[in-house]
Amino acid sequence: MARSGSPPFKVAVVWRGDARARAEARPETSRFAAVFAALERQGLAAEPAVWVEGQADAFRAQLVATDAALVWVNPVTEDTGEGRAALDAVLREVAAAGVLVSAHPDVIDRIGTKEVLVRTREMGWGTDTHLYAGHAALAAEFPGRVAEGPRVLKRSRGNGGIGVWKVERAAGPEVRVQEARDRTARTVPLYAFLAERAADFAAGGTLVDQPFQARHLEGMVRCYVSGTQVAGFGVQYVTALAPPEHGRAPPRLYSGPDDERFRRLRGLMEAAWIPELAERLGLGPDDLPVIWDADFLLGPKDAPGEDTWVLCEINASSVYPIPDEAHDALAATTLRRLAEARTR
């Protein structure tokens, strides 16, 4: 709670919309009603702040009058392909003016793109992962890697399966390519598929290449984190890169941080992997978002027969929905950081 005699901290809850959505936004009717309720339980005064493309001035003015901005905006919209460069510019401005922004765009650049898989490939969650900074490197190196086994190729930025392909050798010079977004599969010459990827490097884009995980149909575990502490889990059987006969994935099932099934994973995250992630990327503990998640698939069994965990991505731009318990966790983390900043 805010200190007695001091004004409550003001928190803006940010999401994307149009002018009408901004005018009509209300905490109790928004998608983030549970977030608003959790912030209120911590004594924080929260208000909607809908980002409307082309209305940066009004949005900026609202944010600079708050103490914190908690942001839920995807890097790419699935319907229009719209990015968030203009929003990120405003967020950097208000953060420089002293507003707590989570997740800060600079932090997203470090942990929330697929390039994090390369930067952390030597960690316990890593695999034989490679970064292609240009089309020439992709054309030179990828054929040898896919010849050794199926690979997953990912754009550095994306969500909802946008820009993710499973690639495996077919007959002769051809490969079978399956797109994660709509699960369409086709067989094409490898050179033709690689030629298509030239567009992915426009405007500084990159591609990341990971081995396909054979146990993917055993389920993906999403580990939700508030700052440095695990706040819950989500389990889903992901079929985006599976043959069509496996059907569509069922809904994700959520649980709290004390779920016994993931006790070992929680221990690894809190004791080893989160601190090492921050150190490798040059981040302090309080730089990590108030809510973020790491998606894990099961890797090969280790020598004692225990499951291993393979990181397939980190989400930091728009992590929602979340387990019930994670709402209070993110609100408590927000309050703690604001209180410590006020003390300083």
XYZ file of all heavy atoms in Angstrom, residues 90-194:
801
model
N 7.428 6.812 -27.928
C 6.779 7.531 -26.826
C 7.145 6.911 -25.487
O 7.430 7.626 -24.509
C 5.251 7.542 -27.022
C 4.566 8.187 -25.820
C 4.874 8.265 -28.308
N 7.152 5.599 -25.422
C 7.486 4.928 -24.163
C 8.909 5.262 -23.723
O 9.168 5.441 -22.521
C 7.310 3.416 -24.306
C 5.876 2.926 -24.530
C 5.853 1.423 -24.756
C 4.978 3.304 -23.354
N 9.828 5.333 -24.659
C 11.197 5.719 -24.307
C 11.232 7.143 -23.769
O 11.962 7.439 -22.818
C 12.118 5.562 -25.516
C 12.410 4.108 -25.890
C 13.442 4.001 -27.002
N 13.848 2.619 -27.217
C 13.362 1.834 -28.169
N 12.447 2.310 -29.022
N 13.783 0.585 -28.289
N 10.449 8.037 -24.369
C 10.394 9.425 -23.907
C 9.895 9.508 -22.467
O 10.496 10.187 -21.628
C 9.477 10.239 -24.805
C 10.031 10.631 -26.149
C 9.053 11.523 -26.892
O 8.556 12.494 -26.289
O 8.764 11.228 -28.062
N 8.778 8.857 -22.190
C 8.201 8.993 -20.850
C 9.050 8.278 -19.811
O 9.128 8.711 -18.659
C 6.731 8.521 -20.822
C 5.889 9.348 -21.778
C 6.597 7.050 -21.117
N 9.696 7.185 -20.213
C 10.603 6.508 -19.276
C 11.776 7.419 -18.920
O 12.197 7.479 -17.758
C 11.098 5.198 -19.881
N 12.306 8.130 -19.912
C 13.404 9.062 -19.652
C 12.958 10.193 -18.729
O 13.781 10.780 -18.011
C 13.928 9.627 -20.972
N 11.648 10.495 -18.734
C 11.110 11.542 -17.865
C 10.814 11.032 -16.458
O 10.350 11.807 -15.610
C 9.841 12.125 -18.486
N 11.043 9.741 -16.201
C 10.890 9.208 -14.859
C 9.713 8.284 -14.644
O 9.505 7.794 -13.529
N 8.944 8.006 -15.692
C 7.815 7.071 -15.568
C 8.350 5.642 -15.652
O 9.158 5.320 -16.531
C 6.776 7.323 -16.679
C 5.638 6.306 -16.598
C 6.239 8.743 -16.590
N 7.919 4.786 -14.733
C 8.267 3.365 -14.797
C 7.504 2.731 -15.949
O 6.268 2.734 -15.963
C 7.898 2.671 -13.483
C 7.958 1.139 -13.468
C 9.386 0.657 -13.645
C 7.352 0.580 -12.200
N 8.211 2.206 -16.938
C 7.591 1.567 -18.096
C 7.929 0.086 -18.076
O 9.096 -0.296 -18.029
C 8.080 2.200 -19.417
C 7.548 1.410 -20.617
C 7.643 3.662 -19.503
N 6.900 -0.742 -18.118
C 7.115 -2.182 -18.147
C 6.151 -2.813 -19.144
O 4.943 -2.600 -19.061
C 6.888 -2.793 -16.765
O 7.170 -4.172 -16.783
N 6.682 -3.509 -20.157
C 8.105 -3.723 -20.361
C 8.680 -2.565 -21.184
O 8.081 -2.145 -22.175
C 8.339 -5.031 -21.098
N 9.853 -2.068 -20.774
C 10.528 -1.009 -21.511
C 10.938 -1.553 -22.882
O 11.396 -2.692 -22.992
C 11.760 -0.554 -20.736
C 12.369 0.702 -21.255
N 13.051 0.758 -22.454
C 12.408 1.962 -20.742
C 13.475 1.986 -22.661
N 13.097 2.750 -21.636
N 10.780 -0.759 -23.939
C 11.146 -1.255 -25.277
C 12.579 -1.768 -25.377
O 12.843 -2.732 -26.113
C 10.931 -0.027 -26.173
C 9.905 0.779 -25.463
C 10.174 0.582 -24.005
N 13.512 -1.141 -24.661
C 14.899 -1.608 -24.722
C 15.058 -2.979 -24.080
O 15.902 -3.780 -24.508
C 15.834 -0.605 -24.033
C 15.893 0.725 -24.772
O 15.437 0.782 -25.929
O 16.381 1.710 -24.177
N 14.256 -3.256 -23.058
C 14.286 -4.577 -22.429
C 13.665 -5.610 -23.361
O 14.179 -6.729 -23.508
C 13.563 -4.542 -21.065
C 13.476 -5.944 -20.462
C 14.280 -3.592 -20.114
N 12.568 -5.231 -24.034
C 11.961 -6.134 -25.007
C 12.964 -6.484 -26.097
O 13.047 -7.633 -26.540
C 10.693 -5.509 -25.609
C 9.600 -5.389 -24.539
C 10.175 -6.345 -26.779
C 8.373 -4.640 -25.003
N 13.732 -5.500 -26.540
C 14.728 -5.757 -27.578
C 15.738 -6.820 -27.147
O 16.286 -7.544 -27.982
C 15.482 -4.471 -27.928
C 14.646 -3.520 -28.773
O 13.601 -3.956 -29.298
O 15.038 -2.345 -28.902
N 15.983 -6.922 -25.850
C 16.984 -7.890 -25.365
C 16.386 -9.256 -25.063
O 17.017 -10.278 -25.322
C 17.671 -7.334 -24.114
C 18.438 -6.049 -24.358
C 19.341 -5.726 -23.193
N 19.688 -4.305 -23.185
C 20.519 -3.754 -22.312
N 21.079 -4.496 -21.364
N 20.778 -2.458 -22.356
N 15.199 -9.281 -24.459
C 14.667 -10.585 -24.050
C 13.458 -11.028 -24.864
O 13.142 -12.219 -24.887
C 14.298 -10.623 -22.548
C 13.022 -9.819 -22.257
C 15.444 -10.148 -21.692
C 12.495 -10.036 -20.852
N 12.775 -10.105 -25.542
C 11.504 -10.432 -26.165
C 11.558 -10.682 -27.654
O 10.516 -10.769 -28.291
N 12.759 -10.802 -28.219
C 12.878 -11.193 -29.620
C 13.505 -12.580 -29.668
O 14.123 -13.040 -28.700
C 13.739 -10.204 -30.417
O 15.109 -10.345 -30.036
C 13.281 -8.768 -30.181
N 13.383 -13.231 -30.820
C 13.906 -14.591 -30.929
C 15.429 -14.642 -30.819
O 16.000 -15.698 -30.572
C 13.456 -15.223 -32.249
C 11.953 -15.200 -32.487
C 11.191 -15.949 -31.429
C 9.718 -16.103 -31.797
N 8.993 -14.835 -31.959
N 16.086 -13.488 -30.973
C 17.536 -13.465 -30.861
C 18.005 -13.869 -29.461
O 19.153 -14.274 -29.282
C 18.076 -12.094 -31.244
C 17.892 -11.784 -32.731
C 18.453 -10.437 -33.135
O 19.235 -9.857 -32.351
O 18.118 -9.958 -34.232
N 17.131 -13.770 -28.461
C 17.506 -14.201 -27.112
C 17.864 -15.688 -27.092
O 18.656 -16.138 -26.263
C 16.382 -13.891 -26.110
C 15.195 -14.837 -26.291
C 16.886 -13.949 -24.671
N 17.296 -16.460 -28.019
C 17.592 -17.891 -28.074
C 19.048 -18.140 -28.438
O 19.646 -19.125 -27.992
C 16.679 -18.574 -29.095
C 15.172 -18.448 -28.837
C 14.389 -18.976 -30.025
C 14.789 -19.168 -27.559
N 19.623 -17.241 -29.232
C 21.031 -17.359 -29.594
C 21.920 -16.845 -28.460
O 22.931 -17.466 -28.118
C 21.317 -16.590 -30.904
C 22.787 -16.696 -31.288
C 20.437 -17.112 -32.033
N 21.519 -15.728 -27.865
C 22.323 -15.132 -26.800
C 22.385 -16.013 -25.560
O 23.286 -15.873 -24.734
C 21.775 -13.757 -26.448
C 21.897 -12.747 -27.593
C 21.202 -11.451 -27.269
N 21.266 -10.523 -28.390
C 20.309 -9.657 -28.708
N 19.204 -9.599 -27.977
N 20.448 -8.847 -29.737
N 21.416 -16.911 -25.394
C 21.390 -17.771 -24.208
C 21.539 -19.246 -24.555
O 21.217 -20.109 -23.739
C 20.075 -17.566 -23.426
O 18.963 -17.987 -24.236
C 19.892 -16.116 -23.028
N 22.053 -19.557 -25.741
C 22.105 -20.962 -26.157
C 23.069 -21.787 -25.323
O 22.981 -23.023 -25.312
C 22.476 -21.057 -27.637
C 23.855 -20.539 -27.999
C 24.087 -20.558 -29.494
N 25.350 -19.932 -29.859
C 25.726 -19.687 -31.112
N 24.933 -20.034 -32.115
N 26.880 -19.107 -31.359
N 24.000 -21.151 -24.615
C 24.920 -21.895 -23.754
C 24.332 -22.151 -22.370
O 24.942 -22.841 -21.554
C 26.246 -21.129 -23.609
C 26.946 -20.806 -24.928
C 27.259 -22.046 -25.741
O 27.556 -23.093 -25.134
O 27.195 -21.977 -26.989
N 23.152 -21.599 -22.095
C 22.506 -21.848 -20.810
C 21.887 -23.241 -20.791
O 21.810 -23.925 -21.812
C 21.438 -20.780 -20.542
C 22.012 -19.404 -20.226
S 20.754 -18.102 -19.998
C 19.629 -18.863 -18.811
N 21.401 -23.632 -19.622
C 20.832 -24.967 -19.468
C 19.600 -25.207 -20.296
O 19.222 -26.361 -20.519
N 18.952 -24.130 -20.764
C 17.758 -24.289 -21.585
C 18.063 -24.220 -23.084
O 17.165 -24.278 -23.912
C 16.693 -23.255 -21.233
C 17.055 -21.804 -21.494
C 17.891 -21.295 -22.460
C 16.553 -20.666 -20.784
N 17.943 -19.926 -22.412
C 17.127 -19.504 -21.384
C 15.666 -20.497 -19.711
C 16.848 -18.221 -20.931
C 15.401 -19.205 -19.272
C 15.985 -18.092 -19.869
N 19.342 -24.081 -23.461
C 19.707 -23.797 -24.837
C 19.861 -25.025 -25.711
O 19.972 -26.160 -25.242
N 19.883 -24.785 -27.036
C 20.081 -25.832 -28.034
C 21.019 -25.295 -29.117
O 21.517 -24.174 -29.032
C 18.742 -26.245 -28.696
O 18.129 -25.074 -29.263
C 17.804 -26.880 -27.694
N 21.208 -26.084 -30.144
C 22.074 -25.723 -31.276
C 21.361 -24.670 -32.125
O 20.776 -24.959 -33.165
C 22.374 -26.983 -32.097
C 23.175 -26.686 -33.360
O 24.050 -25.805 -33.300
O 22.902 -27.330 -34.387
N 21.408 -23.431 -31.664
C 20.630 -22.344 -32.239
C 21.557 -21.366 -32.955
O 22.655 -21.088 -32.493
C 19.852 -21.608 -31.132
O 19.059 -22.556 -30.418
C 18.949 -20.537 -31.701
N 21.079 -20.820 -34.092
C 21.927 -19.952 -34.913
C 21.141 -18.732 -35.366
O 19.920 -18.782 -35.559
C 22.449 -20.714 -36.126
C 23.248 -21.924 -35.751
N 24.591 -21.876 -35.462
C 22.849 -23.220 -35.582
C 25.005 -23.094 -35.139
N 23.973 -23.931 -35.202
N 21.867 -17.632 -35.548
C 21.300 -16.379 -36.017
C 21.793 -16.087 -37.429
O 22.994 -16.191 -37.707
C 21.715 -15.226 -35.088
C 21.306 -13.815 -35.528
C 19.801 -13.640 -35.396
C 22.045 -12.764 -34.704
N 20.862 -15.722 -38.304
C 21.211 -15.282 -39.653
C 20.910 -13.794 -39.738
O 19.744 -13.380 -39.724
C 20.410 -16.051 -40.703
C 20.573 -17.559 -40.607
C 19.502 -18.361 -40.198
C 21.789 -18.164 -40.895
C 19.650 -19.744 -40.100
C 21.940 -19.542 -40.799
C 20.874 -20.325 -40.392
O 21.017 -21.693 -40.297
N 21.969 -12.994 -39.826
C 21.796 -11.545 -39.895
C 21.557 -11.052 -41.315
O 21.165 -9.904 -41.512
C 23.018 -10.847 -39.301
N 21.791 -11.911 -42.298
C 21.579 -11.529 -43.687
C 21.238 -12.740 -44.531
O 21.469 -13.889 -44.139
N 20.687 -12.482 -45.723
C 20.234 -13.574 -46.571
C 21.392 -14.437 -47.060
O 21.242 -15.658 -47.217
C 19.452 -13.030 -47.762
C 18.797 -14.101 -48.571
N 19.299 -14.553 -49.765
C 17.670 -14.835 -48.333
C 18.517 -15.509 -50.239
N 17.525 -15.696 -49.396
N 22.549 -13.841 -47.283
C 23.696 -14.614 -47.768
C 24.096 -15.679 -46.756
O 24.414 -16.822 -47.126
C 24.875 -13.684 -48.064
N 24.078 -15.332 -45.459
C 24.421 -16.302 -44.424
C 23.394 -17.425 -44.373
O 23.742 -18.604 -44.219
C 24.528 -15.608 -43.067
N 22.114 -17.083 -44.495
C 21.063 -18.105 -44.508
C 21.275 -19.076 -45.663
O 21.233 -20.303 -45.472
C 19.696 -17.439 -44.622
C 18.499 -18.385 -44.771
C 18.238 -19.134 -43.480
C 17.253 -17.609 -45.203
N 21.506 -18.546 -46.847
C 21.663 -19.390 -48.034
C 22.894 -20.282 -47.936
O 22.900 -21.420 -48.422
C 21.742 -18.515 -49.286
N 23.942 -19.793 -47.265
C 25.181 -20.554 -47.161
C 25.135 -21.610 -46.074
O 25.692 -22.711 -46.231
C 26.350 -19.598 -46.913
N 24.474 -21.321 -44.953
C 24.585 -22.172 -43.770
C 23.375 -23.068 -43.521
O 23.517 -24.170 -42.989
C 24.833 -21.291 -42.534
C 26.102 -20.453 -42.625
C 26.189 -19.413 -41.521
O 25.524 -19.604 -40.482
O 26.906 -18.406 -41.703
N 22.176 -22.598 -43.870
C 20.983 -23.359 -43.521
C 20.895 -24.709 -44.236
O 20.489 -25.706 -43.604
C 19.718 -22.536 -43.796
C 18.453 -23.196 -43.352
C 18.126 -23.262 -41.999
C 17.584 -23.772 -44.262
C 16.955 -23.880 -41.573
C 16.418 -24.389 -43.852
C 16.096 -24.445 -42.501
N 21.270 -24.823 -45.513
C 21.140 -26.138 -46.172
C 21.890 -27.254 -45.451
O 21.379 -28.373 -45.336
C 21.720 -25.876 -47.572
C 21.431 -24.440 -47.818
C 21.654 -23.770 -46.486
N 23.076 -26.980 -44.942
C 23.822 -28.002 -44.225
C 23.159 -28.402 -42.928
O 23.188 -29.579 -42.540
N 22.543 -27.445 -42.259
C 21.903 -27.755 -40.982
C 20.622 -28.544 -41.172
O 20.351 -29.493 -40.442
C 21.657 -26.449 -40.210
C 22.965 -25.785 -39.784
C 22.776 -24.567 -38.913
N 24.100 -24.062 -38.531
C 24.557 -22.842 -38.795
N 23.780 -21.973 -39.401
N 25.782 -22.495 -38.432
N 19.803 -28.165 -42.151
C 18.550 -28.889 -42.352
C 18.819 -30.284 -42.920
O 17.989 -31.194 -42.753
C 17.585 -28.075 -43.244
C 17.987 -28.144 -44.705
C 16.148 -28.545 -43.065
N 19.963 -30.479 -43.545
C 20.309 -31.820 -44.037
C 20.518 -32.791 -42.884
O 20.376 -34.009 -43.050
C 21.569 -31.748 -44.901
N 20.842 -32.284 -41.696
C 21.096 -33.140 -40.537
C 19.841 -33.446 -39.739
O 19.851 -34.313 -38.860
C 22.127 -32.473 -39.626
C 23.488 -32.282 -40.305
C 24.472 -31.549 -39.412
O 24.068 -31.139 -38.291
O 25.624 -31.372 -39.831
N 18.739 -32.746 -40.015
C 17.500 -33.000 -39.289
C 16.568 -31.814 -39.393
O 16.964 -30.720 -39.827
N 15.294 -31.985 -39.009
C 14.322 -30.892 -39.115
C 14.742 -29.686 -38.281
O 15.285 -29.822 -37.175
C 13.030 -31.510 -38.565
C 13.237 -32.984 -38.656
C 14.703 -33.211 -38.460
N 14.475 -28.500 -38.827
C 14.803 -27.253 -38.157
C 13.555 -26.375 -38.071
O 12.601 -26.538 -38.838
C 15.893 -26.483 -38.909
C 17.138 -27.264 -39.258
C 17.993 -27.590 -38.062
N 18.538 -26.392 -37.416
C 19.426 -26.454 -36.419
N 19.848 -27.635 -35.958
N 19.873 -25.348 -35.855
N 13.572 -25.435 -37.139
C 12.512 -24.437 -37.029
C 13.147 -23.076 -37.256
O 14.089 -22.699 -36.566
C 11.810 -24.495 -35.660
C 10.758 -23.389 -35.560
C 11.162 -25.858 -35.447
N 12.629 -22.371 -38.238
C 13.144 -21.062 -38.614
C 12.145 -20.010 -38.146
O 10.940 -20.139 -38.388
C 13.326 -21.004 -40.129
C 14.318 -20.013 -40.726
C 15.727 -20.244 -40.182
C 14.313 -20.126 -42.246
N 12.658 -18.955 -37.477
C 11.772 -17.960 -36.866
C 12.268 -16.552 -37.180
O 13.464 -16.277 -37.072
C 11.758 -18.118 -35.335
C 11.427 -19.503 -34.828
C 11.564 -19.570 -33.314
C 11.215 -20.955 -32.774
N 11.310 -21.017 -31.303
N 11.325 -15.663 -37.524
C 11.671 -14.248 -37.573
C 11.990 -13.759 -36.161
O 11.447 -14.268 -35.178
C 10.517 -13.424 -38.137
C 10.265 -13.640 -39.618
C 9.111 -12.762 -40.083
N 8.697 -13.107 -41.435
C 7.456 -13.024 -41.876
N 6.494 -12.616 -41.059
N 7.159 -13.347 -43.120
N 12.850 -12.737 -36.086
C 13.250 -12.255 -34.766
C 12.084 -11.656 -33.995
O 12.042 -11.733 -32.769
C 14.374 -11.219 -34.890
O 13.970 -10.132 -35.707
N 11.114 -11.061 -34.700
C 9.938 -10.495 -34.045
C 8.675 -11.110 -34.639
O 8.578 -11.308 -35.845
C 9.882 -8.972 -34.219
C 10.926 -8.211 -33.424
C 10.729 -6.713 -33.572
N 11.719 -5.947 -32.849
C 11.622 -5.604 -31.564
N 10.558 -5.954 -30.877
N 12.573 -4.901 -30.981
N 7.725 -11.375 -33.769
C 6.462 -11.918 -34.240
C 5.675 -12.487 -33.082
O 6.178 -12.609 -31.967
N 4.434 -12.838 -33.338
C 3.576 -13.444 -32.324
C 2.483 -14.224 -33.040
O 2.266 -14.049 -34.249
C 2.965 -12.377 -31.409
C 2.286 -11.257 -32.172
O 2.943 -10.299 -32.570
N 0.976 -11.376 -32.388
N 1.832 -15.108 -32.310
C 0.730 -15.866 -32.896
C 1.151 -16.789 -34.025
O 0.351 -17.107 -34.895
N 2.417 -17.213 -34.030
C 2.899 -18.097 -35.077
C 3.316 -17.384 -36.354
O 3.711 -18.032 -37.332
N 3.253 -16.038 -36.359
C 3.652 -15.279 -37.546
C 5.159 -15.434 -37.744
O 5.957 -15.180 -36.845
C 3.300 -13.784 -37.390
C 1.794 -13.594 -37.228
C 3.812 -12.975 -38.576
C 1.382 -12.183 -36.864
N 5.560 -15.847 -38.956
C 6.976 -15.925 -39.269
C 7.700 -17.074 -38.607
O 8.860 -16.943 -38.200
N 7.052 -18.235 -38.504
C 7.672 -19.439 -37.948
C 7.417 -20.595 -38.907
O 6.261 -20.836 -39.290
C 7.117 -19.785 -36.548
C 7.748 -21.078 -36.026
C 7.363 -18.645 -35.572
N 8.481 -21.317 -39.278
C 8.364 -22.422 -40.221
C 9.148 -23.637 -39.726
O 10.284 -23.498 -39.260
C 8.942 -22.042 -41.597
C 8.330 -20.842 -42.226
C 7.269 -20.796 -43.082
C 8.766 -19.479 -42.079
N 7.016 -19.493 -43.468
C 7.921 -18.675 -42.871
C 9.803 -18.875 -41.343
C 8.066 -17.292 -42.946
C 9.949 -17.494 -41.413
C 9.085 -16.718 -42.213
N 8.539 -24.802 -39.845
C 9.274 -26.055 -39.682
C 9.745 -26.489 -41.069
O 8.953 -26.525 -42.025
C 8.385 -27.140 -39.081
C 9.069 -28.493 -38.960
C 8.090 -29.580 -38.542
C 8.736 -30.949 -38.512
N 7.745 -32.022 -38.235
N 11.028 -26.808 -41.185
C 11.603 -27.177 -42.477
C 12.312 -28.516 -42.322
O 13.135 -28.685 -41.406
C 12.603 -26.109 -42.971
C 13.059 -26.428 -44.397
C 11.990 -24.712 -42.909
N 12.000 -29.463 -43.204
C 12.686 -30.749 -43.170
C 12.887 -31.262 -44.593
O 12.132 -30.933 -45.508
C 11.913 -31.768 -42.338
C 10.494 -32.011 -42.781
C 9.745 -32.906 -41.816
O 10.368 -33.823 -41.246
O 8.532 -32.696 -41.629
N 13.929 -32.057 -44.753
C 14.267 -32.588 -46.067
C 13.150 -33.470 -46.609
O 12.553 -34.262 -45.887
C 15.566 -33.388 -45.998
C 16.822 -32.526 -46.050
C 17.012 -31.919 -47.417
N 18.288 -31.225 -47.550
C 18.656 -30.573 -48.625
N 17.854 -30.514 -49.672
N 19.828 -29.965 -48.670
N 12.872 -33.329 -47.893
C 11.971 -34.239 -48.602
C 12.825 -35.011 -49.608
O 13.955 -35.381 -49.303
C 10.853 -33.451 -49.274
N 12.312 -35.244 -50.796
C 13.074 -35.986 -51.805
C 13.970 -35.032 -52.592
O 13.562 -33.920 -52.937
C 12.120 -36.705 -52.751
N 15.170 -35.476 -52.875
C 16.076 -34.700 -53.713
C 16.349 -33.330 -53.152
O 16.653 -33.161 -51.969
N 16.216 -32.292 -53.981
C 16.526 -30.935 -53.520
C 15.362 -30.255 -52.797
O 15.456 -29.077 -52.450
C 16.830 -30.203 -54.829
C 15.941 -30.875 -55.823
C 15.892 -32.327 -55.420
N 14.280 -30.980 -52.568
C 13.081 -30.360 -52.005
C 13.032 -30.474 -50.486
O 13.645 -31.361 -49.880
C 11.825 -30.980 -52.620
C 11.699 -30.699 -54.119
C 10.369 -31.146 -54.679
O 9.948 -32.269 -54.323
O 9.760 -30.380 -55.445
N 12.268 -29.562 -49.892
C 12.019 -29.579 -48.454
C 10.515 -29.483 -48.225
O 9.774 -28.933 -49.052
C 12.725 -28.426 -47.722
C 14.234 -28.631 -47.704
C 12.367 -27.074 -48.334
N 10.092 -30.024 -47.092
C 8.702 -29.871 -46.680
C 8.665 -28.732 -45.671
O 9.389 -28.747 -44.673
C 8.166 -31.151 -46.052
C 6.681 -31.093 -45.704
C 6.179 -32.430 -45.175
N 4.742 -32.427 -44.963
C 4.142 -32.001 -43.850
N 4.878 -31.526 -42.847
N 2.822 -32.037 -43.738
N 7.823 -27.748 -45.945
C 7.736 -26.549 -45.118
C 6.336 -26.452 -44.525
O 5.337 -26.540 -45.251
C 8.026 -25.281 -45.954
C 7.893 -24.029 -45.085
C 9.406 -25.355 -46.590
N 6.274 -26.298 -43.208
C 4.987 -26.099 -42.551
C 5.013 -24.762 -41.826
O 5.938 -24.463 -41.081
C 4.681 -27.218 -41.556
C 3.318 -27.044 -40.878
C 2.873 -28.284 -40.137
O 3.476 -29.339 -40.246
N 1.806 -28.164 -39.373
N 3.989 -23.939 -42.064
C 3.889 -22.633 -41.426
C 3.101 -22.778 -40.125
O 2.044 -23.414 -40.088
C 3.215 -21.635 -42.351
C 3.966 -21.454 -43.669
C 3.610 -20.153 -44.362
O 3.125 -19.228 -43.690
O 3.846 -20.080 -45.573
N 3.620 -22.150 -39.062
C 2.978 -22.287 -37.760
C 1.673 -21.509 -37.671
O 0.745 -21.930 -36.975
C 3.933 -21.824 -36.662
N 1.588 -20.389 -38.374
C 0.409 -19.542 -38.197
C -0.861 -20.232 -38.654
O -1.877 -20.224 -37.959
C 0.595 -18.218 -38.935
C -0.547 -17.242 -38.679
C -0.386 -15.944 -39.426
N -1.401 -14.978 -39.030
C -1.585 -13.801 -39.610
N -0.805 -13.447 -40.617
N -2.528 -12.980 -39.196
N -0.851 -20.814 -39.864
C -2.073 -21.444 -40.366
C -1.926 -22.938 -40.613
O -2.844 -23.576 -41.128
C -2.539 -20.745 -41.657
C -1.478 -20.782 -42.754
O -0.472 -21.514 -42.601
O -1.653 -20.078 -43.763
N -0.744 -23.505 -40.279
C -0.463 -24.928 -40.359
C -0.446 -25.457 -41.789
O -0.480 -26.667 -41.994
C -1.444 -25.732 -39.500
C -1.388 -25.381 -38.038
C -2.237 -26.302 -37.214
N -1.754 -27.675 -37.259
C -2.455 -28.727 -36.852
N -3.678 -28.562 -36.400
N -1.946 -29.928 -36.918
N -0.410 -24.578 -42.772
C -0.312 -25.052 -44.147
C 1.047 -25.681 -44.394
O 2.061 -25.243 -43.850
C -0.513 -23.896 -45.142
O 0.448 -22.868 -44.877
C -1.910 -23.320 -45.030
N 1.076 -26.722 -45.189
C 2.323 -27.420 -45.513
C 2.468 -27.517 -47.019
O 1.476 -27.649 -47.747
C 2.329 -28.816 -44.890
N 3.703 -27.452 -47.490
C 3.978 -27.554 -48.917
C 5.366 -28.135 -49.103
O 6.207 -28.064 -48.205
C 3.879 -26.184 -49.589
C 4.786 -25.134 -48.989
C 4.354 -23.715 -49.361
N 5.125 -22.724 -48.618
C 6.078 -21.958 -49.141
N 6.383 -22.071 -50.430
N 6.723 -21.076 -48.404
N 5.583 -28.700 -50.260
C 6.897 -29.223 -50.619
C 7.429 -28.394 -51.772
O 6.777 -28.271 -52.816
C 6.796 -30.703 -51.019
O 6.281 -31.446 -49.904
C 8.171 -31.249 -51.383
N 8.604 -27.783 -51.560
C 9.186 -26.869 -52.538
C 10.688 -27.105 -52.593
O 11.282 -27.637 -51.644
C 8.913 -25.393 -52.179
C 7.437 -25.084 -52.221
C 9.489 -25.061 -50.807
N 11.359 -26.701 -53.671
C 12.812 -26.749 -53.679
C 13.384 -25.857 -52.573
O 12.862 -24.760 -52.321
C 13.176 -26.210 -55.070
C 11.951 -26.452 -55.903
C 10.801 -26.276 -54.972
N 14.424 -26.325 -51.925
C 15.008 -25.548 -50.833
C 15.425 -24.166 -51.310
O 15.206 -23.170 -50.617
C 16.202 -26.297 -50.234
C 16.976 -25.558 -49.120
C 16.059 -25.180 -47.964
C 18.142 -26.416 -48.628
N 16.005 -24.075 -52.511
C 16.464 -22.767 -52.982
C 15.296 -21.799 -53.125
O 15.435 -20.586 -52.898
C 17.223 -22.907 -54.310
C 16.365 -23.189 -55.518
C 15.732 -22.158 -56.213
C 16.172 -24.494 -55.966
C 14.926 -22.419 -57.314
C 15.367 -24.761 -57.064
C 14.745 -23.725 -57.731
O 13.943 -23.985 -58.811
N 14.112 -22.317 -53.501
C 12.937 -21.460 -53.661
C 12.460 -20.941 -52.305
O 12.107 -19.762 -52.156
C 11.819 -22.216 -54.366
N 12.439 -21.814 -51.311
C 12.044 -21.375 -49.975
C 13.017 -20.336 -49.443
O 12.611 -19.313 -48.864
C 11.971 -22.579 -49.026
C 11.759 -22.199 -47.589
C 10.535 -21.712 -47.164
C 12.783 -22.312 -46.663
C 10.337 -21.342 -45.830
C 12.606 -21.954 -45.340
C 11.371 -21.467 -44.916
N 14.312 -20.566 -49.618
C 15.300 -19.609 -49.136
C 15.182 -18.283 -49.865
O 15.375 -17.214 -49.263
C 16.705 -20.189 -49.292
C 17.005 -21.424 -48.425
C 18.425 -21.913 -48.673
C 16.793 -21.124 -46.942
